[in-house]
Amino acid sequence: MNVSIQNKRSDAEANNAVKLIGVGRDYEKEGKLLTQWARSNIKNKHETLFLSFSHGIMSFISQDIGLIYFKNYISLPEELLYFKAAYIAIKEFSAYIEQHNLPFASTMLAAMHHTWARDLFNTISLEEIIKKHKQQNMTSNIVAVIDNLFYDKGLLTGLPNNLHYEFIEKSAIEIKQWILIKYFIKFTFGILYKTEYRSLAKASPFYVKLPTHDKNGSMESVFILIDDSGSMINLTSMLKIADDVIGRGIKPVIVTSSPFVLKMIGQRYEHVYCIPINVNTKHYANLLGTFLKLRSIVGSFASDKKDIYWKIFLSKIQLFLFGHLARAQNIECSLDHLANHFGVKVALAVGEANYTPAGGVTYLSSRGFHTAGVTTVLHMDHPYCSFWPAEHHLVYGEQVVDIMVKDGIRNEKIQVVGSEHFDRCFRRDRDSDKSYVYKLFPQVHGKKLVIVATESRARQMIEIDPSVRLLSKMEGLFTIIKLHPDDKPDEFEQILVHLGHPPNIVIAKDVDVLALVHVCDLLITMASNLIIEAGIMGIPSLVYNFSGIPCPIDLVSEGLCFGADSPEEFDKMVRLLLFDATSRAEALKKLLLISRFNGPNDGKSSERIALFVKDMIENTKKYRDNKD
């Protein structure tokens, strides 16, 4: 069904309708006022349901589309160049939208900042890949790139052979449209049968439901905004922070858009709220004025853009616009609802650049709330790590402070507290970890244990393949290739096949990685958070980089560990770090610099965060005076 909006009302009437929607207004009352105007712009009432359903679903799945990444077909310098172009473009787009001061727009722009930039990066990457291969007359290679990538990702079931060349010769717009159609079919039907989403969709008001009883009604409260897709990185950090906040006599009101978070902690805390992903059609009239106006603004912005990647991106934005606005409204209304009920004064965003934290702190800051963002894992000098929507920033160490100051964040807005994600390492018991590892891998007994940690990064086999071959020849070693959650075993198993399945090397995926690292003698990787975690546990790392291309975070230059820039250097350094007492002592001495990445490195990061929250609540005037 095609949704057709009839322009029966003037722009002035649309503007008046938009003005009815604003912060602190009575949404129920204004919804009734808008209903008659909205219905006159829709051909039939059934399209109301279709509009909210289709755009709501598409806005949700569009975040996953942003994960499509041609990482094995562009170089790191190209990646940085395209990412920079994408983020500059998103800032330009956001500034253009912001100047119109439309309801829900700022929240939507902040929440979607990374997703849209990543999607634009993917579009630019695809354009450049097609352009490069066409210039080289290598159309068949383009087929392999696209067909294999999307087949592996489960997005396309493969194209009929007779359509390959015709398909590839079409414009990038048509390629993206094909992907979107497949994606829509796959997820529209798939998502309806996922229990967590189905339960949410059954009765989702445009704000969260309030509790009928609050046993800690007199306590001061803080919003803790969090999303977690399943990695548990943000979630595990948030759990310890929430516990320490409670220990300070403060009630955490946890807000997320992630059903995973709700499922994992819904019974652990009294107040956990999941913002609806869909639009209740009863309230959809509240959005329509803004939607029509914003769609027109996006169209005006698009009219000046000639590059094909802009046309692809802005076409997609318009396709998903209603759903994005609806979710932004859900965030704002839910936070208003909860703030009024609990008397919340401040907000803490765990992973402040993620969807709900970013949208939430942007909206709450506009309402005069005091907000603080928490960084949980390593950031690098990369466009992807340059979005800081909160008012204050509680960070893991001076390394990220340097990045933030470079991005224009004032020093007085930043406080080094450490990272609860890294602090987990302080609570590890080596004897327990040793027993766990030896039970899984009895071959380790009497040998030096080396962990090669994969990173799901582009062209990582440049380092991994020759390194594993060299390790297989070393006496007295047992090597475990620990796979990143997003890496598939197949390509790594091929290395072992070519080596004749050496008995001193195995591949591990679903195991306790911190236990492995805690027990090992040497960690080998390039830029993983594991290097920091290993350092906290007193385990040295060797960073390999055989491509000659600088890494966006260079832990060798930072002085934290030794490096190897060739297979020959790798072979030498592994032997020195494992068997030469002087070299190993030097490697362990380097670990004294770990506080730059987890300052003060004492295992008390979450306690400092809880104290900061308490200070914000008790000294609101101090932060109000320091806000500008």
Side-chain angles (χ1 to χ4, degrees), residues 65-79:
I65 293 175
L67 297 176
I68 301 171
Y69 176 23
F70 296 86
K71 65 181 181 181
N72 288 317
Y73 300 95
I74 59 173
S75 67
L76 180 58
E78 287 173 326
E79 174 189 309

Side-chain angles (χ1 to χ4, degrees), residues 232-363:
M232 299 289 288
I233 291 175
N234 290 327
L235 185 56
T236 52
S237 297
M238 189 280 295
L239 293 175
K240 185 65 168 64
I241 293 168
D243 288 343
D244 283 342
V245 162
I246 293 171
R248 297 287 172 182
I250 301 167
K251 174 170 55 188
V253 179
I254 301 168
V255 181
T256 182
S257 294
S258 168
F260 172 76
V261 172
L262 183 65
K263 180 180 179 181
M264 294 299 293
I265 66 169
Q267 303 300 317
R268 177 164 174 163
Y269 300 102
E270 185 179 4
H271 300 294
V272 182
Y273 302 94
C274 191
I275 296 171
I277 64 170
N278 65 325
V279 183
N280 189 316
T281 55
K282 176 181 177 183
H283 303 290
Y284 111 104
N286 296 341
L287 291 170
L288 194 58
T290 300
F291 166 63
L292 294 176
K293 184 67 176 176
L294 186 55
R295 192 175 66 167
S296 174
I297 293 169
V298 173
S300 298
F301 181 83
S303 65
D304 295 329
K305 301 300 175 185
K306 306 302 180 186
D307 292 321
I308 192 169
Y309 67 81
W310 269 120
K311 294 182 182 298
I312 297 170
F313 173 70
L314 293 171
S315 295
K316 179 181 169 184
I317 290 293
Q318 291 201 331
L319 177 64
F320 301 147
L321 190 56
F322 186 87
H324 291 320
L325 276 173
R327 297 191 72 194
Q329 184 203 39
N330 287 345
I331 290 174
E332 292 188 10
C333 294
S334 296
L335 292 175
D336 278 341
H337 208 45
L338 293 168
N340 291 335
H341 182 79
F342 292 109
V344 185
K345 299 177 182 178
V346 301
L348 191 69
V350 180
E352 67 175 284
N354 292 336
Y355 183 86
T356 305
V361 296
T362 296
Y363 175 64

Side-chain angles (χ1 to χ4, degrees), residues 464-476:
I464 293 175
D465 190 304
S467 297
V468 169
R469 292 175 186 275
L470 289 168
L471 290 169
S472 71
K473 299 175 183 177
M474 294 186 187
E475 296 291 335

